[in-house]
Amino acid sequence: ASTAICYEVIYPNLIRRFVRDGSELLTTITNDAWYGRSSAAYQHWDQASMRAIEEGRYLARAANTGISGFVDPYGRVLAQTALFEQHVVVQDVRFIKDRTIYSRIGDLVAWLSLVLTAAALFVTGRLR
């Protein structure tokens, strides 16, 4: 299991490295109190949920002011708490060893697309 602390969970490469190094379960702890009741706490939850999808892992998230909960490898919310309410949430999760395509190649497709687009723009400019 690996643990991302607070905003570290928004960095896909860090979480990908955890999985590459053998993590079979993603966890994250955070203090979202400074977001107040704004949409930022929900966005932070959603970003953490994306890491579960990208890496094909269950995610357990604990936040001192909410949103805490569990997400499965498909992004489905298994349990979720509300903001600024005390709850104890328990959920069965599995350790998973299989790796997704993203966990294997990362942002390679995006970088290749950027290079191909730049090359096409260069060739188009040279032809004019």
Side-chain angles (χ1 to χ4, degrees), residues 10 14 17 26 28 41 45 54 71 78 80 118 123 127:
I10 72 170
L14 176 65
R17 191 172 340 132
L26 304 177
T28 184
W45 164 263
E54 290 169 350
V71 178
L78 304 175
Q80 180 178 355
V123 168
L127 292 175

Side-chain angles (χ1 to χ4, degrees), residues 43-107:
Q43 292 170 3
H44 198 197
W45 164 263
D46 290 339
Q47 290 172 327
S49 298
M50 281 302 299
R51 304 297 85 84
I53 298 166
E54 290 169 350
E55 301 303 330
R57 299 288 187 270
Y58 281 87
L59 170 77
R61 183 176 194 263
N64 62 338
T65 58
I67 303 166
S68 298
F70 298 90
V71 178
D72 78 1
Y74 300 102
R76 296 178 293 215
V77 176
L78 304 175
Q80 180 178 355
T81 65
L83 286 174
F84 296 99
E85 293 182 11
Q86 291 185 7
H87 293 281
V88 174
V89 182
V90 178
Q91 183 69 44
D92 288 331
V93 296
R94 291 184 297 130
F95 289 92
I96 298 175
K97 293 183 185 214
D98 293 339
R99 296 193 42 204
T100 63
I101 292 172
Y102 180 80
S103 75
R104 292 177 192 278
I105 67 169
D107 294 324

Side-chain angles (χ1 to χ4, degrees), residues 7-62:
Y7 68 90
E8 289 177 344
V9 78
I10 72 170
Y11 296 109
N13 285 336
L14 176 65
I15 307 305
R16 190 168 153 253
R17 191 172 340 132
F18 288 158
V19 170
R20 191 177 59 232
D21 291 344
S23 178
E24 299 173 11
L25 172 69
L26 304 177
T27 66
T28 184
I29 56 174
T30 187
N31 174 3
D32 285 349
W34 66 287
Y35 292 142
R37 295 191 181 277
S38 73
S39 63
Y42 296 97
Q43 292 170 3
H44 198 197
W45 164 263
D46 290 339
Q47 290 172 327
S49 298
M50 281 302 299
R51 304 297 85 84
I53 298 166
E54 290 169 350
E55 301 303 330
R57 299 288 187 270
Y58 281 87
L59 170 77
R61 183 176 194 263

